[in-house]
Amino acid sequence: MKTFDVVVVGAGPGGATAARYAAMSGASTLLLDRRREVGVPVVCGELTSGSTFPEFSLDSDGPWVAHQMGITRIVFPEGKILDFHGIKLVTLHRDIFEKHLVEMAMDEGAEIRMNTTVRGVTDPGETSTSTHETNNDLSFGGVVLKNGEQVRAKVIIAADGVKSTIGKSMGMVRAPAIRDLGRAMKYIVRSKNIDQSMGQFFAGEEGTQGYAWILPKGNDTANVGIGTLGGTRTFLRPALDRFIEKRIPGAHKESFTAGCLPVTLPPTRTVWKNVMLVGDAASMVNSVGGAGIRNAMVAGRIAGRIAGEYVQESKPMSYLEKYEKAWRKKLYPRLRMNYFIKELMWHSETSSKHFYPLIAPMNRIMNMVPGLLSWIQNKQHM
Ligand SMILES: Cc1cc2nc3c(=O)[nH]c(=O)nc-3n(C[C@H](O)[C@H](O)[C@H](O)COP(=O)(O)OP(=O)(O)OC[C@H]3O[C@@H](n4cnc5c(N)ncnc54)[C@H](O)[C@@H]3O)c2cc1C
């Protein structure tokens, strides 16, 4: 049976980042994923903030950047439009992006095994209350793979996405209520009629408790999708087809994927014994917009660093609790605020239109003070 200091389950943005920072600290690190190829298939709107790149020492012009947009447009159900200038939004080639994140982890010394499904956690050890006990005293737990093989680990970082197998096997997360599970789907479309200058969001489109999006990717292509709360009865794919026909008539659809995302608050505990939950596994998603890439990376970095320190400095297991405090300090206030807004905004099929009078004055102020939005954006990433 192989033993590693840190085993990370899931090679998405959260897990790849966790593995990168754990390995950087000198911990022997194994990254496992059930997919055959990193980043494939892409089930995502592929939108992120431009400031994600410098924050993680990534090149802002790297091959993972598909397109940068100068304007963010919100279209309300009765046709009113708000344009926000100055938000630095970027569409990714997410498959290339994830591959690069994994390569960065491997450059730091992490090993990766794809096509490897983790079934659960074994014997995670006891939580230490003694400050004298070090991780060297513990009988380490580990993970069990689908083929029955076991891998021992001092720390397990579960970045295994929504409906986290590890989180459930540890009793840390429960299956989300249907209304707290967003459903979303997207096509990559090609058309000369795509406005490449702006990212567009259509609130309440097709009667959804959510929105549809057109996110340009350059070269006459765009990521076009629709998302809604799980409880909505709308048949999403025909709704998305109608949306495309209405907004980009005649567009050629090149590929289709669908998935779900947690639009709820994180669980009360994201550390239990030697297991830490990262990203979607801990519902670290913006409940209004559905963005979770950067949050997963922020939490992954914190988890990887703390796991590395724990192992390298032979700290007591209670040291891992630092993760809980650190990620909450950085992400929780905004997650909570967005969850609250989502509860107000999407609780009925018509409520999105009531948000126009609330957002419109803010939009005017933002556009009157050039640079304010990008300043706020940068502040959030510090
Ligand atoms: C349709 C859609 C559109 C979205 N659009 C955006 C967007 O535009 N911008 C944005 O920021 N966010 C978006 N999101 C959310 C975003 O995709 C997630 O928040 C983000 O991927 C979270 O990263 P993660 O690393 O936590 O999890 P994931 O990216 O889900 O990675 C989890 C990994 O774990 C692996 N895994 C799962 N279970 C196991 C197991 N048992 N054993 C081994 N491996 C396992 C999976 O194969 C996967 O590779 C969207 C989501 C959806 C569904």
Side-chain angles (χ1 to χ4, degrees), residues 107-275:
D107 287 347
E108 296 296 341
E111 283 182 39
I112 179 156
R113 267 172 74 177
M114 296 302 290
N115 210 3
T116 306
T117 301
V118 177
R119 234 174 37 200
V121 169
T122 62
D123 177 30
E126 295 300 317
T127 308
S128 167
T129 47
S130 156
T131 48
H132 302 296
E133 187 181 24
T134 70
N135 58 48
N136 297 323
D137 303 324
L138 296 165
S139 60
F140 308 128
V143 292
V144 192
L145 311 183
K146 197 173 163 198
N147 64 7
E149 191 188 331
Q150 295 194 14
V151 183
R152 287 161 79 90
K154 294 176 185 173
V155 185
I156 297 151
I157 298 179
D160 52 346
V162 60
K163 302 182 185 168
S164 164
T165 305
I166 304 290
K168 278 191 287 183
S169 83
M170 292 292 291
M172 294 163 80
V173 292
R174 276 182 282 159
I178 190 96
R179 67 187 298 270
D180 283 338
L181 196 64
R183 289 188 290 135
M185 52 184 59
K186 70 107 202 2
Y187 288 101
I188 297 297
V189 304
R190 183 175 290 278
S191 166
K192 295 227 172 291
N193 299 323
I194 297 163
D195 185 340
Q196 296 283 338
S197 68
M198 60 174 75
Q200 301 182 65
F201 300 90
F202 300 79
E205 184 73 20
E206 288 280 341
T208 56
Q209 290 172 290
Y211 64 91
W213 67 81
I214 301 176
L215 298 171
K217 290 191 72 177
N219 298 323
D220 296 335
T221 63
N223 184 315
V224 183
I226 194 164
T228 189
L229 296 184
T232 322
R233 280 193 292 274
T234 314
F235 290 105
L236 269 194
R237 190 157 180 181
L240 179 55
D241 289 335
R242 283 193 299 272
F243 172 74
I244 292 172
E245 206 35 56
K246 185 163 84 182
R247 300 285 171 181
I248 325 171
H252 176 64
K253 296 172 197 156
E254 297 195 338
S255 65
F256 172 82
T257 51
C260 50
L261 59 164
V263 281
T264 183
L265 284 173
T268 32
R269 265 183 172 279
T270 57
V271 183
W272 178 238
K273 300 184 176 176
N274 57 347
V275 177

Side-chain angles (χ1 to χ4, degrees), residues 10 14 33-35 44-47 94 118 159-160 184 280 290 292-293:
D33 200 291
R34 66 183 173 195
R35 291 194 275 185
C44 189
E46 303 180 275
L47 187 72
R94 183 164 160 172
V118 177
D160 52 346
D280 278 18
I293 296 172

